Amino acid sequence: MVGEALFTAEGLVENEYIITWLGLGAILEAAAKQWCETAKKNLLCAQEIGQKIVDISELQIEVDAKKDALIDAMRLHQSPDRLAKKSIMLLEAVRVRIGHTEFQKRKTQKKNEHELGLRPLQWNSKHLSHWASTLHIIQNGRPLSSTGADFMPQQGKITPAGYLDKKGCRAIFIQVSQQTRLRSLFVKYSSRELTVMLSKATKNSLSCGETMETLSTKWKNNHELSSKYNEILLSGMLRYGFGGFDEMVRQPESSPLYPDTDVGVKCFTRKFVQQKLNDLTRELSALDDTADNIRLLNERKRNRFNAGMEAHNDERVSKSNTPRIQIGINAFFRSPNTSKAEVITLSDDTNSDESPKRQAVGRSPLSSPEKKLKK
C-alpha cells in the first residue's frame, strides 16, 4: 500500500497525473511545514511590534496547533495506510453531510453548484466505497465516517479552526469529486484519446448552454482552438490545483488561455475556471460511462458467442465419438431373414383316413349333401 496509486489500471505506464498515498503524504507534510513557519513569523512580528498580550497568547496557541499538525503530518507521511484510511473516512464524513445533492436532477440543482452533474458525484461515491473495501474500513456497504475528534477523550481542549455547514460540505465534496474524476480520466486515457474526447465534450458543453461571455473571440469562433485551450486548462489545474491557481496563470504555457486584450487575466477568474472545469468534467464523465457500457455489452456478446461455439463444438465432438458397429460386407448379399411358416404335406390318396382333406370334412358340422337332397 505504500506506493499504491489512487488510480490503478492494468498495464498502466508511467503517467504524470498519478498520485500515490506516499506522494500525497509528502505534499501534506510540506504544507504543514509552511503553515507552521507562517504561524511562527506572525508570532515574532507581534512580539516585535509589542501587540497586546491577548493577541500574542492567541498567536502562541496557533503556533502550538500548527506544531501538532506538523507532527501528525510527518507521522502520516511515514504511514501511507493510516493516511489513506483517515482521508477516506474524512471524505465520507463530508459526503454524508451534503444532503441529497448527488441524487438531484440537473434542473433542480442550484446555480452555485456550477452544474457538475450527477455522474462525477456518483462515481466518487463508488470510488470511496472501493477504497474503503480495500482498506477494510467499510460497514454496511459504505465507508466509516469517523474522524479523529470522535476518538479524542478530551474534546474540550480542541480549538476548531472552522465550522462546515451543509453548504460548505457540498462545495468541498463537489470540488474534490471534480478533481478526482478528471484525474482518473487523464490517467485512464492517452493524450490522443483525450484530445478526441475533449473535442466531443466541448461540443456537448456548448450545446448544454455553457456561457461564453467571458471567453476570447478566438476561443469562441475556433472549435479546434477551444479544444486545445481546454486541454491546457484541465492539465494545468490537475498539476497546480485550485490552491495553486495564481501560480498556474503566471506560467508561460497558460498564456494561450487569454490571448486577447479584451479578456486578460482579470476575466480569467477562479469562478469562471471552476465552471469550465465542471462542465468539461461532466461531459467527459458521460463519454467515459458510455464507452464503458458499450465495451461491457460487446464483452457479453462475445462471451455468449464463444459459449455458443463451445457448445456447438462439444455437440459435434460427442456425435463423432459415439461408438458405431461395423456392418460386414456379407450382410449386403445375404437374403433377409424370413419366419419359418408351417408346411403341411398333402397326400395324393384322398381316400385315406390320414388325408387332411378327409379329416377336415369329417370334422365339419354340416350334413352331407345326400341328406339335403332327400329332404
Side-chain angles (χ1 to χ4, degrees):
M1 284 295 297
V2 174
E4 185 170 351
L6 272 68
F7 311 100
T8 58
E10 295 182 359
L12 187 66
V13 297
E14 191 66 24
N15 192 303
E16 61 177 322
Y17 301 103
I18 295 178
I19 298 180
T20 62
W21 290 111
L22 183 62
L24 195 62
I27 296 174
L28 180 62
E29 183 178 349
K33 287 181 180 179
Q34 184 63 36
W35 295 331
C36 186
E37 293 296 330
T38 302
K40 289 180 179 179
K41 290 180 180 180
N42 294 335
L43 178 60
L44 290 175
C45 292
Q47 291 174 348
E48 289 177 357
I49 62 177
Q51 287 188 357
K52 297 180 180 180
I53 299 178
V54 177
D55 298 335
I56 294 177
S57 61
E58 291 179 355
L59 292 174
Q60 183 63 50
I61 294 174
E62 183 178 357
V63 170
D64 295 338
K66 299 301 182 184
K67 288 181 178 179
D68 293 338
L70 177 58
I71 294 173
D72 290 340
M74 295 174 65
R75 290 175 179 173
L76 293 174
H77 184 199
Q78 298 300 323
S79 179
D81 288 356
R82 189 162 173 259
L83 172 61
K85 293 179 181 180
K86 280 181 167 290
S87 301
I88 297 302
M89 289 192 294
L90 179 60
L91 282 176
E92 179 65 12
V94 173
R95 189 195 69 84
V96 297
R97 289 168 174 80
I98 67 175
H100 301 284
T101 301
E102 61 176 304
F103 305 106
Q104 292 178 359
K105 296 182 179 179
R106 287 183 58 189
K107 293 183 179 180
T108 60
Q109 286 181 334
K110 298 179 181 180
K111 290 292 182 180
N112 57 5
E113 293 173 2
H114 303 297
E115 297 292 347
L116 179 61
L118 298 178
R119 294 178 185 270
L121 298 178
Q122 293 173 348
W123 180 92
N124 195 29
S125 180
K126 294 179 181 179
H127 190 63
L128 291 176
S129 298
H130 168 73
W131 268 110
S133 178
T134 303
L135 298 170
H136 306 291
I137 52 172
I138 195 169
Q139 185 177 12
N140 299 326
R142 292 302 311 170
L144 297 175
S145 58
S146 303
T147 60
D150 298 332
F151 302 97
M152 292 182 179
Q154 299 177 351
Q155 296 187 5
K157 295 183 179 181
I158 300 176
T159 303
Y163 295 92
L164 290 175
D165 55 2
K166 182 183 294 186
K167 183 179 179 180
C169 292
R170 184 184 300 117
I172 292 175
F173 190 76
I174 287 175
Q175 194 172 96
V176 171
S177 299
Q178 181 274 315
Q179 288 282 280
T180 309
R181 181 57 171 143
L182 183 62
R183 187 176 297 277
S184 70
L185 296 174
F186 269 69
V187 171
K188 181 178 181 180
Y189 294 99
S190 63
S191 178
R192 181 178 300 179
E193 293 172 333
L194 281 173
T195 302
V196 177
M197 293 179 65
L198 272 174
S199 179
K200 296 180 181 179
T202 302
K203 292 180 181 179
N204 295 340
S205 62
L206 293 178
S207 63
C208 292
E210 179 191 353
T211 57
M212 302 289 289
E213 299 175 357
T214 58
L215 297 182
S216 64
T217 305
K218 291 182 180 180
W219 197 330
K220 285 190 294 185
N221 298 333
N222 194 321
H223 177 72
E224 184 177 355
L225 283 177
S226 179
S227 300
K228 180 180 179 181
Y229 295 157
N230 287 335
E231 187 173 359
I232 295 174
L233 175 63
L234 297 181
S235 178
M237 290 304 298
L238 287 178
R239 289 190 181 96
Y240 295 93
F242 286 96
F245 175 78
D246 296 333
E247 184 178 358
M248 184 202 73
V249 172
R250 291 192 296 266
Q251 299 302 316
E253 59 268 18
S254 301
S255 58
L257 298 177
Y258 39 88
D260 296 341
T261 56
D262 60 333
V263 178
V265 183
K266 293 183 179 180
C267 295
F268 199 71
T269 60
R270 293 174 182 266
K271 182 179 180 180
F272 162 73
V273 169
Q274 184 169 359
Q275 183 174 359
K276 187 73 175 176
L277 289 174
N278 289 341
D279 290 333
L280 293 174
T281 303
R282 180 192 66 237
E283 300 303 330
L284 287 173
S285 182
L287 292 173
D288 178 63
D289 291 342
T290 302
D292 287 343
N293 292 334
I294 293 175
R295 184 162 47 251
L296 181 61
L297 291 175
N298 291 334
E299 288 179 359
R300 290 179 178 176
K301 183 178 179 180
R302 185 166 55 253
N303 293 336
R304 286 197 299 267
F305 176 77
N306 294 335
M309 289 297 296
E310 291 178 359
H312 181 66
N313 294 334
D314 293 342
E315 183 179 357
R316 293 180 60 184
V317 171
S318 62
K319 287 183 178 180
S320 62
N321 292 336
T322 53
R324 297 183 179 182
I325 301 174
Q326 179 66 32
I327 301 176
I329 193 170
N330 293 331
F332 294 98
F333 301 98
R334 186 174 58 189
S335 60
N337 295 329
T338 56
S339 60
K340 295 183 179 181
E342 184 180 0
V343 180
I344 302 176
T345 304
L346 298 178
S347 177
D348 293 338
D349 189 3
T350 56
N351 295 325
S352 175
D353 294 337
E354 296 177 0
S355 174
K357 290 183 179 181
R358 292 184 61 85
Q359 291 177 2
V361 172
R363 289 193 298 266
S364 176
L366 297 177
S367 60
S368 63
E370 290 128 353
K371 292 182 179 180
K372 289 182 179 180
L373 290 175
K374 289 179 179 181
K375 290 179 180 181

